[in-house]
Amino acid sequence: MIKYLGSKRRLVPVLEAVARAAGAGAALDLFTGTTRVAQCFKRLGAAVTAVDSARYAEVFARCYVATDADEVDHRQLAAALEHLQHLPGAPGYFTETFCVRSRFFQPHNGARVDAIRQAIDAEFAGSPLEPLLLTSLLEAADRVDSTTGLQMAYVKQWAPRSYRDLELRPPVLLAGGGRAVRGDACTLASTLGSFDLAYLDPPYNQHRYFTNYHVWETLVAWDAPAHYGVACKRVDSRDPATRSPFNAKRTMPSALRQVIADVDCELLVVSYNDEGWVGAEDLEAMCAHHPEVRTLAFESTRYVGARIGIHDPAGRRVGTVSHLTNRELLVVAGPGATVRRVLEQVGSGRAVVPG
Ligand SMILES: C[S@@+](CC[C@H](N)C(=O)[O-])C[C@H]1O[C@@H](n2cnc3c(N)ncnc32)[C@H](O)[C@@H]1O
């Protein structure tokens, strides 16, 4: 999986325990990003819907969530990857923009990205292999980039990994079906159907994913856009349509409130960070239409989960949010019995030490 701002790698064991306790048959991952949480739900046998506004996230979701590993012709996939892997480099827009005018990748890798992406377009567009091959290319490029994980800038000296040769690997697919949806959570939330478990992991500050991962947007769109600045960002980064309401302090709280109200689910789990624009109490209030609401907090650096800030069944606060600095919050809302089962599971999970 790619390096990704706000990726929930270390929370996955907790979310897995939550999904197990909820017995989720139908699950929603509304801001899916890398799809690692959606994959965790799918691994447990849930029918997963994965949603994100980013083009590359839709590619990941089509690959890891919507594709059924049992339906894939693995020999054909291996042959396609072998073919693409051995294409000679053919410098084009990607090399010129991201290796010469900017320095996100070394030119020897950029030329191969150009050749491979061109061939995917010419030979596999519209085929079931397309999202798998694009995922393989995105992840291969990520392993040889020269950034700190964000694409607003590249490092001054080439990163050591950027000298390595780009290597396509087959994505590790999961059995079972699922759904990949690209779009704005605010307009989609009420249209997606009903779920046993809905997980919401929205952005929580001003850092836009569209600009921080503009290279991946362009690699998927393959539209050679005009660009600006040292980072060669897409010109449509300036277009208000590419802005998310979750990245502005003024619009974020109402957008989140609306999405939480619109999602039709038995158990709702919202990830948040206590450095964001909405406090834990506000977040709990947004979920108050569910019978029971509890907040879990996890150390964001060490990720030794520290469970604090829990309310009793009458809604009285047992912990205080002032102790939650630099913590990842998980608000769990739903029927009392389910929420209590989740807390028991998470509290006894290996990744979590009760606070
Ligand atoms: C914190 S990240 C999610 C990370 C993900 N849980 C993971 O572990 O990889 C937030 C995601 O929200 C997406 N996003 C931002 N605004 C959105 C919107 N209005 N609708 C849908 N997705 C949005 C971003 O593209 C980004 O992938």
Side-chain angles (χ1 to χ4, degrees):
M1 266 173 250
I2 59 165
K3 300 181 282 297
Y4 205 53
L5 183 69
S7 174
K8 293 299 174 291
R9 184 169 59 85
R10 288 180 287 187
L11 269 187
V12 163
V14 175
L15 293 166
E16 182 180 335
V18 170
R20 270 188 207 285
L28 171 67
D29 183 9
L30 192 54
F31 300 84
T32 198
T34 61
T35 72
R36 65 171 75 245
V37 177
Q39 288 186 52
C40 154
F41 295 162
K42 183 175 173 181
R43 220 173 277 122
L44 295 176
V48 181
T49 297
V51 180
D52 202 288
S53 51
R55 289 180 178 90
Y56 52 85
E58 183 191 25
V59 166
F60 295 144
R62 288 176 64 205
C63 172
Y64 291 119
V65 178
T67 298
D68 182 345
D70 292 341
E71 301 284 313
V72 172
D73 182 335
H74 291 274
R75 269 206 299 216
Q76 197 187 18
L77 172 61
L81 287 171
E82 179 76 6
H83 160 61
L84 297 172
Q85 174 71 22
H86 290 101
L87 288 175
Y93 175 90
F94 192 92
T95 311
E96 173 62 21
T97 311
F98 300 126
C99 310
V100 178
R101 287 175 186 257
S102 59
R103 285 161 55 98
F104 288 101
F105 304 89
Q106 299 227 16
H108 70 280
N109 281 325
R112 291 190 51 222
V113 171
D114 266 314
I116 293 167
R117 182 65 186 89
Q118 202 55 48
I120 293 174
D121 214 30
E123 299 168 37
F124 299 95
S127 91
L129 288 188
E130 186 185 25
L132 284 50
L133 300 174
L134 283 175
T135 294
S136 180
L137 177 58
L138 286 159
E139 293 182 347
D142 183 66
R143 286 192 292 271
V144 295
D145 76 346
S146 193
T147 73
T148 56
L150 301 175
Q151 297 170 346
M152 293 293 271
Y154 40 90
V155 297
K156 276 213 176 91
Q157 302 288 328
W158 288 115
R161 65 171 173 270
S162 70
Y163 289 92
R164 287 197 239 130
D165 285 331
L166 183 96
E167 184 203 352
L168 296 177
R169 297 178 191 162
V172 180
L173 302 172
L174 299 167
R179 200 160 47 129
V181 183
R182 178 173 166 231
D184 182 354
C186 300
T187 49
L188 287 171
S190 64
T191 70
L192 296 166
S194 66
F195 299 92
D196 301 309
L197 169 64
Y199 175 60
L200 275 52
D201 185 19
Y204 44 73
N205 57 32
Q206 73 282 10
H207 299 300
R208 296 170 65 197
Y209 284 83
F210 193 82
T211 46
N212 272 307
Y213 297 102
H214 65 96
V215 180
W216 301 152
E217 289 281 350
T218 295
L219 186 50
V220 172
W222 206 233
D223 55 352
H227 52 80
Y228 67 96
V230 255
C232 295
K233 283 182 285 184
R234 302 171 58 88
V235 278
D236 57 0
S237 304
R238 293 173 166 149
D239 181 344
T242 65
R243 292 189 176 274
S244 169
F246 295 92
N247 291 129
K249 191 174 182 179
R250 192 176 53 80
T251 49
M252 192 274 166
S254 58
L256 185 57
R257 186 176 305 109
Q258 190 61 50
V259 165
I260 287 175
D262 283 350
V263 168
D264 178 0
C265 64
E266 174 98 345
L267 187 72
L268 174 71
V269 179
V270 185
S271 261
Y272 209 61
N273 181 298
D274 68 343
E275 290 174 348
W277 293 315
V278 171
E281 285 169 26
D282 296 332
L283 200 50
E284 288 179 354
M286 291 179 191
C287 301
H289 52 291
H290 288 274
E292 189 147 337
V293 183
R294 303 287 187 107
T295 300
L296 309 176
F298 301 89
E299 298 278 351
S300 61
T301 45
R302 290 181 294 125
Y303 274 80
V304 177
R307 205 179 87 195
I308 55 175
I310 297 173
H311 292 77
D312 67 15
R316 288 181 294 257
R317 187 175 291 282
V318 179
T320 64
V321 290
S322 60
H323 297 147
L324 300 183
T325 40
N326 295 320
R327 305 266 165 104
E328 296 273 351
L329 306 179
L330 269 192
V331 178
V332 182
T338 315
V339 172
R340 279 191 293 278
R341 212 168 43 243
V342 164
L343 295 187
E344 276 163 27
Q345 276 292 318
V346 171
S348 62
R350 272 192 316 124
V352 178
V353 178

